[in-house]
């Protein structure tokens, strides 16, 4: 049995006499402790120290552990480590605490108990046992690292800093942890302490890029530009062929308005790496600041011509240009299009390239080209709803009904819960004279609308039209009424609702009130005037209807308006003039199904 235990300890990388094991887990950082919680933690630590002292005293008075007890302690420890590796922390702690009862002054046992508590989220006990481990074995770096991890996870950065400082002081050859200590000081914005720590590291390790870089960042935060630039020059001298340090220096000059120096250093980077896109980017920014747009544009084109400029950086730059579009300056529009084209050339199978190109085309009023670009983006990534939405909106704007129907059908396979897609799918079906399908889509999509009264009103408006086509007049009126609740001044609804009421000869006073409201707002619109005239016609106010239609005819050549005007003239007894208007309507275009009978019989049919 003894031999088996020792073999297992060896396999786990432990030291049999002390169970020393390197490595520590990391817990999720909770919020910072309150003062009350801190006092409670300190009390727990005092209690633990007291119990530990008592256990040691008791152990000192007790006979030495027998071989059987030592073997039992080792076995319990190994079991605890095994369960910890299996992430069964309750069982791990059960075994480790039993080992602790036998050997409370064993540093490795305290360490593993601390680690298991950290992994299971019990940070207070983790802190107590980790501190005990560092006191029991002050030369073991791993114990300090675990304690610092626990403290940092509780945002106890000051305590973690002190732990690292003690580690560096107590444990030989631990200078590498100066970098961790410097980072902790930076987190606390203790810039002088961080700087002093880095200088200590520099004395120990000499010129190290990480040291110079961090010192540079500290100097910048202290507004010590010359010292920061000095560190940058050190980095460049130490790495003459490393363009990233040269470019960082150039960007620092540029951001601090030392533009000539920025140009000098950026060109230095280009001598090292002639195709470096970041160097061209720096020069473009400098020329922009110097109000040299042509030179800036040229540098941007050179940067975008390089395949080394990644897609995300390209998109970031293009988004900046998109914010300026549409611009009265044609060069800005053209440059954005050129850069978008270069992005597609460099990344011909990346959806982002086509998506941003589509945005540029859309904002420069190239709607069809924008839609084509979005569709190409969807070939490579069809999971972006925003791209489908853009395609559908452009289809609707271009009145491409077939495309609208195809694209909404495809998009709904991927996004069946998007109400806007159902809306446009319903509209497309209505335009294709597929009223039943259109109504079904609109009714379903309307149920998906949440907290969007405007969209709800649009659904109701379309449903009002659709139900009318299906001769479901009660539903049509109800839908229009609902639309007007969402948007009382919706001109389309007011016009269509009043016109359809006039056709049916129902609620004519309401129709007159609604149509009059529209005409008052748009007194020269021939469509609205025609609706108003027809409501008046149905109310037998032929004089009023005549006046409205004559106003409409000043700006329209619509056949139906002419036919309506003929009907009004007929009712007013002017039959010859009426026939003349009907004939004019026939020559102009298609009006009503009754027009031919009216002309043949020279008589009004309704």
């Amino acid at each position: 049995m003894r031999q088996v235990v020792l073999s297992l300890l060896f396999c786990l990388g432990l030291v049999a006499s002390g169970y020393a094991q390197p490595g520590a887990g990391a817990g999720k950082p909770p919020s910072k402790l309150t003062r009350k919680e801190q006092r409670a933690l300190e009390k727990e630590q005092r209690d633990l120290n007291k119990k530990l002292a008592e256990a040691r005293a008791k152990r000192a008075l007790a006979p030495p552990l027998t071989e059987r007890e030592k073997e039992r302690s080792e076995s319990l420890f190994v079991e605890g480590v095994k369960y910890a590796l299996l992430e069964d922390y309750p069982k791990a702690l059960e075994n480790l605490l039993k080992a602790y009862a036998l050997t409370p002054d064993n540093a490795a046992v305290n360490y593993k108990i601390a680690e298991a508590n950290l992994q299971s989220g019990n940070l207070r006990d983790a802190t107590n046992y980790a501190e005990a481990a560092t006191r029991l074995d002050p030369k073991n770096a791993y114990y300090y690292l675990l304690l610092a991890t626990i403290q940092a996870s509780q945002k106890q950065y000051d305590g973690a800093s002190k732990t690292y400082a003690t580690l560096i002081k107590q444990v030989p050859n631990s200078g590498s942890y100066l970098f961790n200590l410097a980072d902790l000081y930076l987190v606390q914005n203790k810039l002088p302490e961080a700087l002093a720590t880095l200088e200590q590291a520099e004395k120990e390790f000499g010129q190290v890029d990480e040291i110079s870089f961090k010192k540079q960042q500290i100097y910048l935060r202290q507004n010590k530009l010359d010292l920061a630039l000095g560190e940058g020059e050190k980095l460049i001298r130490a790495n003459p062929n490393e363009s990233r340090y040269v470019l960082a220096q150039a960007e620092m000059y540029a951001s601090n308005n030392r533009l000539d120096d920025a140009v000098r250093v950026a060109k230095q980077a280009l001598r090292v790496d002639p195709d470096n896109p970041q160097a061209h980017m720096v020069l473009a920014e400098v020329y922009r600041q110097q109000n040299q747009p042509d030179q800036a544009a040229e540098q941007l084109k050179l940067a975008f011509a390089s395949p080394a400029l990644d897609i995300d950086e390209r998109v970031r730059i293009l988004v900046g240009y998109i914010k300026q579009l549409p611009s009265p300056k044609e060069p800005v529009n053209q440059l954005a299009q050129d850069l978008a084209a270069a992005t597609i050339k460099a990344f011909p199978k990346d959806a982002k390239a086509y998506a941003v190109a589509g945005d540029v085309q859309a904002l420069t009023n190239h709607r069809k080209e924008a839609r084509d670009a979005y569709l190409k983006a969807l070939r490579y990534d069809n999971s972006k709803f925003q791209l489908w939405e853009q395609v559908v909106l452009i289809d609707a704007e271009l009145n491409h009904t077939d495309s609208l129907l195809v694209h909404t059908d495809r998009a709904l396979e991927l996004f069946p819960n998007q109400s806007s897609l159902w809306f446009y799918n319903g509209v497309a079906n209505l335009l294709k004279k597929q009223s039943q399908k259109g109504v079904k889509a609109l009714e379903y999509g309307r149920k998906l609308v949440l907290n969007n009264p405007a969209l709800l009103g649009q659904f109701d408006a379309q449903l009002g039209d659709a139900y009318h086509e299906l001769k479901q007049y009660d539903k049509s009126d109800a839908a229009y009424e609902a639309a007007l609740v969402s948007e009382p001044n919706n001109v389309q609804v007011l016009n269509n609702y009043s016109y359809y009421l006039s056709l049916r000869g129902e609620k004519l006073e309401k129709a007159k009130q609604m149509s009059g409201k529209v005409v008052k707002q748009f007194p020269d619109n021939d469509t609205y005037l025609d609706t108003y005239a027809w409501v008046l016609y149905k109310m037998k106010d032929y004089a009023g209807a005549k006046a409205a239609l004559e106003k409409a005819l000043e700006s329209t050549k619509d056949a139906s308006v002419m036919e309506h005007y003929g009907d009004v003239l007929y009712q007013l007894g002017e039959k010859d003039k009426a026939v003349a208007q009907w004939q004019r309507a026939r020559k102009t275009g298609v009006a009503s199904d009754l027009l031919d009978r009216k002309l043949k019989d020279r008589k009004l049919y309704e």
Side-chain angles (χ1 to χ4, degrees):
M1 178 65 180
R2 173 72 172 170
Q3 182 61 42
V4 173
V5 171
L6 288 177
S7 298
L8 182 54
L9 289 173
F10 179 77
C11 290
L12 290 171
L14 307 177
V15 178
S17 62
Y19 322 150
Q21 182 187 16
K28 293 182 180 179
S31 58
K32 192 173 181 180
L33 294 179
T34 64
R35 184 174 297 179
K36 183 178 179 181
E37 289 172 329
Q38 184 64 37
R39 286 198 297 268
L41 182 61
E42 291 170 356
K43 183 178 183 302
E44 288 180 15
Q45 181 62 49
R46 288 194 298 271
D47 292 343
L48 180 63
N49 291 341
K50 183 179 178 181
K51 290 178 182 178
L52 184 58
E54 291 172 352
R56 286 175 182 165
K58 184 177 179 181
R59 183 72 258 169
L61 295 172
L65 289 178
T66 65
E67 285 299 310
R68 185 180 182 85
E69 288 172 326
K70 288 179 182 179
E71 195 171 286
R72 173 65 175 160
S73 177
E74 291 171 356
S75 177
L76 288 165
F77 180 79
V78 171
E79 281 294 296
V81 171
K82 182 185 76 173
Y83 282 117
L85 291 172
L86 295 172
E87 299 183 8
D88 188 345
Y89 300 115
K91 285 189 177 180
L93 284 168
E94 179 183 343
N95 284 278
L96 291 168
L97 288 170
K98 287 179 181 178
Y100 176 85
L102 291 168
T103 54
D105 55 353
N106 187 294
V109 172
N110 281 271
Y111 169 80
K112 291 306 297 184
I113 293 173
E115 189 176 57
N117 274 303
L118 170 62
Q119 294 288 8
S120 57
N122 187 354
L123 298 177
R124 290 185 179 182
D125 284 349
T127 302
N128 293 335
Y129 285 101
E131 287 181 344
T134 61
R135 285 196 299 274
L136 290 164
D137 185 359
K139 297 299 181 182
N140 190 313
Y142 294 107
Y143 299 168
Y144 291 104
L145 293 175
L146 177 61
L147 177 58
T149 297
I150 297 167
Q151 291 167 325
S153 70
Q154 298 174 86
K155 299 185 181 179
Q156 297 172 359
Y157 300 123
D158 187 56
S161 301
K162 291 176 181 176
T163 298
Y164 270 109
T166 305
L167 162 62
I168 294 164
K169 182 179 179 180
Q170 292 288 341
V171 181
N173 303 316
S174 56
S176 60
Y177 297 115
L178 287 164
F179 297 98
N180 303 71
L181 180 56
D183 287 339
L184 280 168
Y185 284 137
L186 286 172
V187 168
Q188 300 171 82
N189 203 34
K190 293 182 176 181
L191 302 185
E193 291 87 342
L195 193 58
T197 303
L198 290 169
E199 287 173 348
Q200 183 182 345
E202 195 166 32
K203 288 177 183 177
E204 185 165 342
F205 299 105
Q207 171 67 41
V208 177
D209 291 353
E210 184 182 353
I211 294 174
S212 291
F213 182 75
K214 287 187 175 180
K215 286 174 67 177
Q216 187 181 56
Q217 302 311 304
I218 292 170
Y219 288 137
L220 286 173
R221 287 165 68 173
Q222 291 177 326
N223 292 318
K224 296 177 180 178
L225 178 61
D226 289 337
L227 290 175
L229 291 168
E231 291 298 327
E233 293 296 338
K234 284 168 61 177
L235 284 167
I236 293 171
R237 286 195 298 272
N239 305 273
N241 295 320
E242 186 59 73
S243 59
R244 65 191 176 103
Y245 292 130
V246 182
L247 289 170
Q249 191 80 339
E251 289 173 354
M252 199 182 310
Y253 278 125
S255 62
N256 288 278
N257 205 34
R258 292 177 58 170
L259 303 183
D260 292 339
D261 286 324
V263 170
R264 172 180 58 81
V265 178
K267 289 182 176 179
Q268 179 182 340
L270 286 173
R271 285 194 293 273
V272 174
D273 182 3
D275 296 323
N276 190 297
Q278 295 299 332
H280 291 298
M281 295 287 296
V282 171
L283 287 171
E285 176 58 22
V286 171
Y287 290 138
R288 186 194 67 78
Q289 291 185 48
Q290 292 178 330
N291 198 27
Q292 300 181 57
D294 293 340
Q295 292 88 332
E298 184 61 30
Q299 291 299 322
L300 274 177
K301 289 178 181 178
L302 289 170
F304 271 64
S306 171
L309 186 65
D310 68 56
I311 183 69
D312 291 328
E313 181 68 6
R314 293 167 184 265
V315 170
R316 184 189 66 78
I317 295 162
L318 279 167
V319 166
Y321 273 93
I322 284 170
K323 291 177 180 177
Q324 303 176 48
L325 301 176
S327 170
K329 298 179 180 178
E330 182 59 30
V332 173
N333 296 346
Q334 188 58 52
L335 177 61
Q337 292 182 53
D338 291 344
L339 297 181
T343 299
I344 290 174
K345 185 177 180 180
F347 296 89
K349 294 185 178 181
D350 195 309
K352 294 178 186 176
Y354 294 101
V356 75
D359 291 342
V360 171
Q361 296 287 9
L363 288 168
T364 52
N365 293 318
H366 297 90
R367 310 299 292 170
K368 186 177 182 301
E369 292 82 355
R371 182 185 61 185
D372 293 343
Y374 291 136
L375 287 171
K376 287 178 181 177
L378 289 167
R379 288 184 196 170
Y380 299 103
D381 184 359
N382 66 0
S383 67
K384 298 293 187 293
F385 168 69
Q386 293 83 355
L387 293 177
W388 286 108
E389 188 174 43
Q390 287 292 88
V391 168
V392 166
L393 288 173
I394 294 173
D395 283 338
E397 288 179 19
L398 296 176
N399 293 317
H400 289 179
T401 305
D402 290 340
S403 295
L404 183 61
L405 192 56
V406 169
H407 293 145
T408 51
D409 280 340
R410 286 172 56 192
L412 282 168
E413 292 176 5
L414 298 167
F415 305 98
N417 293 325
Q418 289 292 339
S419 57
S420 60
L421 293 178
W422 286 106
F423 174 80
Y424 284 108
N425 184 262
V427 170
N429 275 295
L430 293 177
L431 291 172
K432 295 292 290 182
K433 304 301 182 183
Q434 299 175 139
S435 299
Q436 292 287 0
K437 285 186 177 181
V439 166
K440 186 176 180 180
L442 290 169
E443 287 177 339
Y444 185 83
R446 189 185 189 282
K447 296 175 184 176
L448 300 175
V449 179
L450 296 173
N451 302 319
N452 191 339
L455 181 57
L456 199 63
Q458 290 180 44
F459 269 99
D460 288 324
Q462 289 297 328
L463 281 167
D465 294 346
Y467 287 136
H468 175 81
E469 290 297 319
L470 294 172
K471 294 182 170 51
Q472 297 177 11
Y473 300 130
D474 288 343
K475 284 187 174 182
S476 175
D477 290 357
Y480 283 138
E481 293 290 350
L484 291 173
V485 169
S486 300
E487 190 178 351
N489 295 316
N490 187 312
V491 172
Q492 175 195 342
V493 174
L494 291 169
N495 180 74
N496 290 5
Y497 189 13
S498 55
Y499 183 66
Y500 292 143
L501 286 175
S502 71
L503 291 181
R504 287 151 45 197
E506 299 176 5
K507 306 176 188 176
L508 293 177
E509 282 295 338
K510 182 179 182 65
K512 179 181 177 182
Q513 182 266 328
M514 291 190 294
S515 182
K517 186 176 182 180
V518 175
V519 168
K520 186 176 181 180
Q521 188 176 351
F522 299 96
D524 298 318
N525 185 288
D526 58 293
T527 299
Y528 301 151
L529 285 165
D530 181 49
T531 297
Y532 185 61
W534 204 243
V535 172
L536 296 177
Y537 177 89
K538 287 289 186 173
M539 298 178 76
K540 302 188 183 307
D541 181 0
Y542 302 125
K546 179 183 178 184
L549 287 168
E550 286 175 346
K551 177 70 175 176
L553 286 167
E554 291 177 4
S555 58
T556 188
K557 293 182 179 179
D558 187 284
S560 63
V561 177
M562 297 173 187
E563 183 180 358
H564 285 166
Y565 186 44
D567 293 352
V568 170
L569 292 174
Y570 190 93
Q571 294 286 13
L572 290 170
E574 300 180 52
K575 294 183 180 180
D576 291 339
K577 290 183 179 180
V579 172
Q581 289 298 321
W582 292 336
Q583 289 172 337
R584 185 184 173 197
R586 166 54 63 216
K587 292 178 183 178
T588 302
V590 178
S592 77
D593 295 336
L594 297 173
L595 182 58
D596 288 337
R597 287 185 64 193
K598 294 177 187 178
L599 287 169
K600 180 182 177 182
D601 299 337
R602 297 176 61 85
K603 182 179 177 183
L604 177 63
Y605 291 99
E606 294 183 306

